[in-house]
Amino acid sequence: MEFLADYAGFLAKTVTLVVAILIVLVALAVLRSRGRRGGGQLQVTKLNDFYKALRQRLEQSILDKDQLKALSKEEAKATKAAKKQPAQKSRVYVLDFDGDIKASATDGLRHEITALLSLATPQDEVVLRLESGGGMVHSYGLASSQLARIRQAGVPLTVCIDKVAASGGYMMACIGEKIICAPFAILGSIGVVAQLPNVNRLLKKHDIDFEVLTAGEYKRTLTVFGENTEKGREKFQEDLETTHELFKNFVARYRPQLEIDEVATGEVWLGMAALEKQLVDELKTSDEYLAERAREADLYQLHYVQKKSLQERVGLAASVALDRFALTWLGRLSQQRFW
């Protein structure tokens, strides 16, 4: 028993020492990350090589030796002929935007666009694979302004939507000279919404006062805790209508073929119906479009990676875990609904 007690004491001291060392190391890492400036780097992937690798893997699995040998000779002959008469291929720059409510992906998008505009010409093309259900007006306004830089530079912009481009997502999509979407993608929602709870009556019930002091008649129109007035509601609604009008004018500027009052009702449409409304120009998945372009152009996927501090990496890991948990249960609920 005395031996076990001594061993337990030794083990406790060892664990304490290890934990103390880990705490010191984490603290040093945090201090070092604070002292560094946040930077990032641009990753460039040639998608032609990706498609070629897919094809070659399939050929190796299906074709026999004689067929592979004949195919190899044909490719060698074609490569030799191309070297003799080299043709300048156009370039296609592929960008991805997966939008949340704050359009956080704009941080990377702005750097990707700055990079490609330093090299792209009107003979090239930019393809944006866009997925977004919309969010904050000012955030998506900035994201849209970044895409407008491509149009202003005279470089063709094609927007591909496989799942959803609604509200702020469509604000971005409409800047494309060509909009392509999958048949069952969701588009539209050209409208503005704002909602907030008000617990003023609950506070009054419990004899709790909440004071709202402002300088400026409309500094606060609607509040969560204060008592809202009809005048404040009218002003808030007026602001929403103004924002909606600006949204409509923005879309009409880039898509003049639209009957804007017909589509700017806040409704959404699936791809097939969106084509009839002229919200899109063609029904096709982004994979199909890019595979076609890869036959005649060099495709380069750009992705700006921002270096993250230790705190951000820890927070990101926790966020991913929560997202996976939420998606798992959401998927189970959806399965039960459609069984």
Side-chain angles (χ1 to χ4, degrees):
M1 292 295 292
E2 185 177 346
F3 168 76
L4 291 175
D6 290 341
Y7 180 74
F10 170 75
L11 186 62
K13 291 177 182 177
T14 303
V15 171
T16 303
L17 180 62
V18 171
V19 170
I21 292 172
L22 288 174
I23 291 173
V24 171
L25 290 175
V26 169
L28 288 173
V30 169
L31 290 173
R32 288 180 64 189
S33 66
R34 285 180 179 174
R36 293 175 184 167
R37 285 187 175 183
Q41 61 181 6
L42 183 69
Q43 296 179 346
V44 183
T45 305
K46 191 171 183 181
L47 293 181
N48 302 71
D49 297 335
F50 172 75
Y51 292 126
K52 183 179 179 180
L54 288 178
R55 188 186 74 247
Q56 288 178 338
R57 182 68 185 89
L58 185 61
E59 289 170 351
Q60 292 168 2
S61 301
I62 294 177
L63 302 181
D64 57 35
K65 290 183 178 179
D66 292 336
Q67 290 173 319
L68 282 173
K69 189 175 180 180
L71 187 61
S72 179
K73 284 183 178 180
E74 289 179 12
E75 289 180 351
K77 190 184 295 184
T79 302
K80 189 176 181 180
K83 287 181 178 179
K84 287 182 179 179
Q85 295 179 338
Q88 182 64 41
K89 284 187 174 182
S90 62
R91 299 188 184 100
V92 176
Y93 299 95
V94 182
L95 311 179
D96 292 289
F97 189 94
D98 189 0
D100 57 17
I101 194 169
K102 297 186 294 183
S104 304
T106 307
D107 292 339
L109 180 69
R110 66 203 308 176
H111 297 305
E112 293 160 7
I113 291 174
T114 297
L116 73 87
L117 287 181
S118 67
L119 194 61
T121 69
Q123 285 69 49
D124 299 324
E125 179 187 9
V126 177
V127 174
L128 175 70
R129 293 187 289 197
L130 171 66
E131 302 295 341
S132 176
M136 297 178 179
V137 174
H138 59 281
S139 299
Y140 276 90
L142 176 58
S144 300
S145 298
Q146 295 296 332
L147 293 181
R149 293 169 59 197
I150 301 173
R151 288 287 297 267
Q152 290 163 7
V155 181
L157 172 64
T158 300
V159 178
C160 294
I161 303 153
D162 288 326
K163 295 178 182 177
V164 59
S167 194
Y170 192 78
M171 179 189 288
M172 294 179 65
C174 73
I175 297 176
E177 291 177 276
K178 181 165 58 176
I179 304 177
I180 296 170
C181 79
F184 287 93
I186 297 172
L187 295 101
S189 190
I190 303 173
V192 184
V193 62
Q195 54 188 352
L196 73 163
N198 182 267
V199 296
N200 182 257
R201 283 186 292 179
L202 178 64
L203 296 178
K204 282 185 174 180
K205 182 179 179 181
H206 293 279
D207 296 324
I208 300 173
D209 293 328
F210 184 84
E211 299 292 339
V212 181
L213 305 178
T214 63
E217 185 178 4
Y218 295 116
K219 181 62 179 177
R220 281 289 178 269
T221 51
L222 296 184
T223 72
V224 175
F225 299 103
E227 184 174 358
N228 292 321
T229 65
E230 193 60 38
K231 189 175 182 180
R233 292 188 186 93
E234 289 175 359
K235 175 58 178 172
F236 197 88
Q237 183 63 44
E238 181 184 323
D239 292 341
L240 289 182
E241 296 291 347
T242 300
T243 305
H244 186 214
E245 196 64 31
L246 291 171
F247 190 179
K248 287 166 58 177
N249 293 339
F250 185 86
V251 174
R253 174 186 171 189
Y254 287 100
R255 300 283 294 183
Q257 65 269 46
L258 285 174
E259 293 290 340
I260 192 63
D261 290 326
E262 182 182 332
V263 298
T265 59
E267 297 173 80
V268 295
W269 293 271
L270 294 178
M272 292 179 286
L275 181 62
E276 295 177 3
K277 298 282 186 182
Q278 299 189 73
L279 288 163
V280 299
D281 302 300
E282 189 177 352
L283 296 182
K284 189 179 291 185
T285 65
S286 62
D287 303 289
E288 185 180 359
Y289 182 72
L290 291 176
E292 290 174 357
R293 296 292 285 123
R295 299 190 190 107
E296 56 192 14
D298 289 326
L299 272 61
Y300 297 95
Q301 182 180 5
L302 308 186
H303 180 52
Y304 186 82
V305 180
Q306 184 75 38
K307 292 181 181 177
K308 292 181 172 58
S309 65
L310 178 64
Q311 303 98 308
E312 289 172 327
R313 290 198 296 271
V314 172
L316 181 62
S319 175
V320 168
L322 287 172
D323 285 346
R324 286 178 179 172
F325 176 78
L327 287 172
T328 298
W329 279 101
L330 183 61
R332 289 178 181 177
L333 290 171
S334 298
Q335 287 175 353
Q336 291 174 358
R337 178 181 175 186
F338 291 105
W339 276 349

